[in-house]
């Protein structure tokens, strides 16, 4: 989704800092970019469609500037073109915006009656015009921004420059993420921490409806009563280098290679000789898990484990559905929201609704201080560190790890500690195998199927999502036993079927289903922890056999790497697949 960066400082470095920041936010997904910067007390705006390089080619980096805002836009209102790109400027105001102003049509009507005209199809141009309209009455920037927080509906993170006060950069947010970062003689705003890590690791979080007034050496945050509020300064634990590629060809590959440590760090947070940092679950007798995409898939694994071992009913739903459904919960229900970014709009909306209904919530979140983390009653962080590739890998594995820990905790099972210590090496061994020869067998196919039963079906769903999102090959996951009720008609000679079997109690049945597709010409890739040698598969991927509570953490690794190799052979933009964004902050 859209990325925002902003700079104000005495080092006159504005253009470089803002452009560096935009490049670090590329992973969020975008289709145009732009910058507004001051020079000799004049504000200049440059915008371009497509990749940031198009914008860079039009910028003179020798220009000294002490104030700038930049933006990468992921189109929502109006096609991705130069006019619709940000920053948008109306009279004295120039803004960049992440989010959606839901009542922009209503605001536009009011502005049209007051002789405003518009060039773009965006809600952002309406927003900046409305700010200008109110400012003409209020004649005070803080009062104006405070006023618009009461009028704008939807979500917004805004970086704002006003020609009447070029000594300050302003920002305001509701729902969409925004941080304020502190440097020496310079300060910054950004959608996410990686955008400023090259310059500082100190930042503060802006809460909903708060307004930041930022100069080179001062940051003031105001609440809705326009009172100054004090904010904690946080320090990001990682380094700029750790969020960069470290010699790997792609972030996705680097992040998969970090999985052994991510597993270790996540486990160590919640379990050493005993459990720690885990909220008390004893009062809940049913659990709902709500999330989107891959995070939803970890919820499905969580459901399987918690129901089987802890005997607690678990209901799992994608957030965009859960939000609009009649949900059966009460004071004995714990609603678990799973999110890497902690900013996914649908997940956040569910969290707010559930909270309003007085139900307890637990956020399983990766980004520290993100909205889901802040709004949830309890938080369990996944210790995956900064994840840049749009397709999640290490954060997904960390979420699986948290669900394994929760299940162990609920059953007071401390017997796995020894086995847990072997997992990082086992992940590493899986990572170091060569999946390219297998990828070569399937990368030209138009359709690829994943099948499995029980917990393996949940893993199959994630394997299939990983493959399709980065390689653009149509891929579907099916419960192995369900295939013959329709989908099997799609199987023809050489259709790849990736069949997963790690559950001994179901393997005979799964193998029968594999034989059914094999008999119809499928090319079967068998992913298993079982010692089976037979002729019902063409290729076998062996995974080490571990306790079922830990098994999914190993099963997913070859599937992530297979997706990576297939996408690479197809020359896809692996870290930034088309149409996708890292953090989906619109509903
Ligand atoms: C897929 C992927 C997405 C996210 C989903 C939720 O690789 O990354 O499906 O899992 O958009 O995002 P978070 O976890 O940030 O809420």
């Amino acid at each position: 989704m859209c990325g925002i960066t902003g700079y104000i400082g005495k080092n006159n470095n504005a253009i470089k800092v803002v452009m560096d920041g935009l490049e670090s936010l590329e992973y969020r997904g975008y289709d145009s970019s732009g910058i507004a910067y001051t020079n000799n007390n004049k504000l200049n705006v440059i915008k371009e469609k497509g990749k940031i390089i198009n914008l860079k080619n039009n910028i003179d980096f020798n220009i000294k500037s002490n104030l700038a805002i930049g933006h990468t836009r992921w189109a929502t209102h109006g096609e991705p073109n130069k006019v619709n790109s940000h920053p948008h400027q109306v009279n004295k105001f120039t803004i960049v915006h992440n989010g959606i102003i839901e009542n922009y049509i209503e605001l536009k009507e009011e502005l049209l009656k007051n002789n405003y005209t518009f060039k773009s199809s965006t809600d952002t141009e309406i927003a900046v015009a409305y700010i200008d309209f109110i400012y003409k009455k209020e004649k005070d920037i803080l009062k104006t921004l405070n006023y618009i927080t009461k009028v704008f509906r939807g979500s917004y993170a805004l970086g704002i420059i006003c020609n009447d006060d070029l000594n300050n950069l302003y920002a305001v947010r509701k729902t969409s993420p925004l941080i304020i970062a502190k440097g020496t003689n310079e300060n910054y705003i950004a959608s996410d921490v990686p955008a400023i890590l090259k310059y500082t690791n100190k930042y503060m979080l802006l809460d909903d409806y708060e307004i930041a007034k930022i100069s080179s050496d001062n940051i003031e945050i105001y609440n809705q009563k326009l009172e100054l509020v004090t904010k904690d300064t946080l320090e990001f634990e990682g380094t700029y280098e750790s969020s960069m590629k470290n010699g790997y060809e792609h972030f996705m590959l680097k992040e998969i290679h970090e999985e052994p440590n991510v597993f270790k760090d996540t486990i160590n947070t919640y379990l050493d000789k005993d459990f720690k940092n885990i909220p008390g679950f004893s009062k809940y007798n049913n659990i709902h898990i709500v999330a989107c995409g891959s995070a939803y898939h970890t919820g499905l694994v969580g459901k399987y484990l918690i129901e089987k071992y802890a005997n607690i009913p678990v209901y799992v739903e994608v957030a965009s559905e859960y939000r609009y459904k009649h949900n059966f919960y009460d004071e004995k229900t714990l609603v678990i929201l799973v999110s890497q970014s902690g900013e996914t709009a649908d997940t956040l909306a569910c969290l707010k609704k559930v909270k309003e209904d007085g139900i307890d919530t637990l956020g399983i979140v990766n980004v520290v201080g993100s909205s889901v983390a802040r709004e949830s009653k309890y938080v369990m962080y996944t210790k995956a560190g900064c994840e840049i590739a749009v397709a999640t890998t290490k954060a997904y594995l960390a979420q699986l790890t948290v669900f394994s820990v929760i299940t162990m905790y609920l059953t007071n099972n401390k017997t796995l500690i020894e086995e847990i210590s072997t997992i990082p090496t086992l992940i590493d061994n899986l990572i170091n195998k060569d999946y390219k020869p297998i990828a070569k067998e399937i990368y030209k196919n138009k359709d690829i199927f994943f099948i499995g039963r029980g917990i393996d079906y949940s893993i199959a769903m994630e394997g299939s999502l990983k493959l399709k999102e980065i390689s653009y090959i149509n891929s579907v996951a099916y419960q192995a036993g369900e295939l013959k009720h329709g989908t099997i008609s799609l199987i023809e000679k050489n259709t790849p079927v990736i069949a997963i079997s790690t559950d001994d109690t179901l393997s005979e049945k799964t193998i029968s289903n594999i034989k059914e597709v094999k008999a119809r010409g499928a090319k079967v890739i068998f992913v298993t922890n079982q010692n089976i040698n037979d002729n019902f598969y063409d290729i076998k991927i062996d995974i080490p056999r571990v306790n079922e509570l830990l098994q999914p953490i190993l099963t997913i690794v070859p599937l992530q790497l297979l997706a990576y190799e297939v996408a690479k052979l197809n020359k896809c933009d692996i870290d930034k697949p088309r149409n996708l964004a890292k953090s989906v902050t619109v509903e």
Side-chain angles (χ1 to χ4, degrees):
M1 298 277 123
C2 306
I4 288 178
T5 53
Y7 169 99
I8 183 152
K10 292 184 181 147
N11 303 327
N12 288 326
N13 219 1
I15 295 179
K16 178 157 175 17
V17 176
V18 163
M19 291 308 296
D20 280 352
L22 289 186
E23 281 182 323
S24 326
L25 293 174
E26 271 193 295
Y27 71 93
R28 295 168 69 89
Y30 70 103
D31 35 45
S32 61
S33 58
I35 183 170
Y37 61 88
T38 54
N39 184 230
N40 295 330
N41 281 330
K42 239 192 96 225
L43 201 63
N44 305 284
V45 177
I46 307 179
K47 325 198 246 193
E48 281 304 328
K49 188 181 162 183
K51 294 282 173 197
I52 289 180
I53 187 73
N54 303 344
L55 181 65
K56 279 176 97 175
N57 288 341
N58 280 316
I59 293 176
D60 178 355
F61 280 83
N62 295 319
I63 293 175
K64 291 205 182 325
S65 168
N66 70 337
L67 174 62
I69 46 176
H71 191 262
T72 44
R73 173 173 186 256
W74 190 82
T76 56
H77 293 63
E79 62 176 276
N81 62 25
K82 207 162 158 170
V83 180
N84 288 335
S85 308
H86 303 204
H88 285 278
Q89 215 168 13
V90 172
N91 298 330
K92 291 181 174 173
F93 283 89
T94 307
I95 72 167
V96 286
H97 168 214
N98 175 8
I100 291 178
I101 308 293
E102 285 169 0
N103 57 335
Y104 79 101
I105 293 180
E106 204 178 286
L107 302 176
K108 186 175 181 179
E109 278 161 14
E110 192 178 345
L111 290 166
L112 287 170
K113 282 185 206 142
N114 285 280
N115 303 322
Y116 280 85
T117 54
F118 302 99
K119 298 183 209 113
S120 78
S121 328
T122 64
D123 52 335
T124 306
E125 195 185 7
I126 309 297
V128 64
Y130 203 82
I131 291 172
D132 178 72
F133 175 54
I134 300 300
Y135 181 68
K136 281 181 182 150
K137 296 182 198 166
E138 295 280 358
K139 299 188 172 48
D140 179 284
I141 301 172
L142 285 176
K143 281 188 188 158
T144 301
L145 297 182
N146 193 35
Y147 184 93
I148 61 110
T149 63
K150 297 182 178 105
V151 178
F152 287 3
R153 286 207 304 275
S155 56
Y156 50 84
L158 300 174
I160 304 149
I161 295 177
C162 175
N163 290 354
D164 283 348
D165 182 11
L166 294 179
N167 293 321
N168 283 294
L169 165 64
Y170 290 83
V172 60
R173 91 175 265 262
K174 189 202 149 209
T175 309
S176 299
L178 197 72
I179 60 156
I180 317 291
K182 277 168 123 172
T184 310
N185 290 328
E186 53 186 31
N187 291 311
Y188 323 80
I189 59 169
S191 300
D192 205 349
V193 179
I196 45 87
L197 272 186
K198 206 169 174 178
Y199 299 95
T200 179
N201 67 347
K202 295 190 178 51
Y203 66 102
M204 46 181 82
L205 301 163
L206 203 59
D207 280 312
D208 276 357
Y209 307 113
E210 284 179 344
I211 303 166
K213 179 180 177 185
I214 308 158
S215 67
S216 306
D217 40 28
N218 195 26
I219 297 172
E220 290 174 358
I221 312 278
Y222 294 87
N223 64 17
Q224 273 199 303
K225 291 185 191 147
L226 286 185
E227 298 158 341
L228 276 172
V229 289
T230 318
K231 287 269 159 182
D232 291 337
T233 300
L234 308 172
E235 274 191 30
F236 185 74
E237 285 168 18
T239 58
Y240 178 67
E241 284 67 35
S242 74
S243 78
M244 293 296 110
K245 276 190 205 150
N246 271 356
Y248 287 99
E249 198 176 342
H250 296 97
F251 280 111
M252 180 174 175
L253 192 60
K254 173 189 168 243
E255 287 159 6
I256 293 172
H257 277 262
E258 287 167 357
E259 288 180 338
N261 280 334
V262 166
F263 173 80
K264 242 189 267 173
D265 291 346
T266 307
I267 279 284
N268 289 344
T269 308
Y270 300 109
L271 178 64
D272 38 40
K273 288 191 191 70
D274 211 335
F275 297 104
K276 53 182 180 174
N277 304 322
I278 302 180
F281 282 95
S282 52
K283 71 183 238 211
Y284 305 106
N285 63 15
N286 71 94
I287 294 173
H288 291 194
I289 302 175
V290 182
C292 303
S294 297
Y296 165 71
H297 295 157
T298 61
L300 294 173
V301 174
K303 170 185 166 75
Y304 184 90
L305 296 178
I306 295 169
E307 286 188 338
K308 178 164 174 182
Y309 292 96
N311 204 28
I312 297 174
V314 181
Y315 173 75
V316 193
E317 186 59 275
V318 291
S320 52
E321 293 293 322
Y322 188 82
R323 188 183 170 191
Y324 299 105
K325 275 181 66 237
H326 179 71
N327 293 307
F328 297 90
Y329 43 49
D330 56 29
E331 70 284 358
K332 295 269 185 192
T333 311
L334 177 69
V335 178
I336 302 181
L337 297 303
V338 191
S339 178
Q340 185 287 125
S341 62
E343 301 294 349
T344 301
D346 286 315
T347 310
L348 195 52
C350 291
L351 169 57
K352 288 185 172 159
K353 178 182 173 227
V354 166
K355 257 175 85 175
E356 269 165 32
D357 291 344
I359 306 299
D360 285 354
T361 54
L362 163 69
I364 298 178
V365 188
N366 195 42
V367 177
V368 177
S370 58
S371 301
V372 172
R374 281 189 283 163
E375 300 249 352
S376 298
K377 175 164 182 170
Y378 311 110
V379 186
M380 289 178 77
Y381 280 112
T382 47
K383 296 288 180 167
C386 194
E387 192 178 64
I388 302 282
V390 164
T392 182
T393 51
K394 60 173 181 168
Y396 169 85
L397 186 128
Q399 289 162 0
L400 289 182
T401 308
V402 169
F403 277 115
S404 301
V405 173
I406 289 177
T407 312
M408 289 179 222
Y409 173 80
L410 287 169
T411 50
N412 199 22
N413 177 354
K414 288 175 232 162
T415 61
L416 296 180
I417 294 181
E418 213 167 290
E419 191 160 13
I420 283 171
S421 67
T422 67
I423 298 292
T425 311
L426 297 178
I427 299 175
D428 210 36
N429 294 344
L430 285 167
I431 291 174
N432 289 320
K433 286 188 183 169
D434 185 6
Y435 299 93
K436 199 166 174 184
I438 308 177
K440 280 189 176 155
E441 295 282 329
I442 60 175
Y443 80 101
K444 288 190 180 147
N445 282 81
K446 295 232 170 339
D447 302 290
I448 298 180
F449 292 85
F450 283 73
I451 59 170
R453 283 173 179 254
I455 200 164
D456 292 328
Y457 170 60
S458 308
I459 301 294
M461 288 176 80
E462 176 60 9
S464 165
L465 176 62
K466 218 69 335 179
L467 181 75
K468 72 183 133 205
E469 71 179 322
I470 61 168
S471 73
Y472 314 143
I473 293 174
N474 179 37
S475 154
V476 228
Y478 259 87
Q479 296 95 333
E482 181 65 12
L483 213 62
K484 57 185 166 299
H485 297 287
T487 312
I488 203 163
S489 68
L490 295 171
I491 303 292
E492 50 188 35
K493 192 164 165 24
N494 282 331
T495 304
V497 175
I498 300 174
I500 305 166
S501 174
T502 67
D503 180 345
D504 292 345
T505 62
L506 296 169
S507 73
E508 271 185 20
K509 300 283 177 204
T510 306
I511 289 170
S512 301
N513 301 136
I514 299 173
K515 287 183 177 167
E516 288 158 12
V517 293
K518 184 74 194 142
R520 283 152 185 90
K523 186 184 286 174
V524 174
I525 298 167
F526 186 43
V527 182
T528 188
N529 62 357
Q530 292 148 359
N531 191 13
I532 300 170
N533 291 305
D534 204 333
N535 58 0
F536 62 81
Y537 56 80
D538 298 271
I539 299 167
K540 187 161 168 246
I541 300 179
D542 284 306
I543 34 177
R545 192 182 184 78
V546 290
N547 186 287
E548 191 179 24
L549 289 173
L550 302 165
Q551 189 67 61
I553 293 162
L554 298 184
T555 313
I556 192 58
V557 177
L559 302 182
Q560 293 173 338
L561 281 158
L562 187 59
Y564 173 82
E565 295 294 353
V566 168
K568 200 169 149 191
L569 287 168
N570 280 315
K571 301 192 172 27
C572 296
D573 191 353
I574 293 182
D575 285 333
K576 287 172 258 146
R578 69 182 178 215
N579 306 337
L580 288 178
K582 181 70 184 160
S583 170
V584 185
T585 50
V586 293
E587 286 167 39

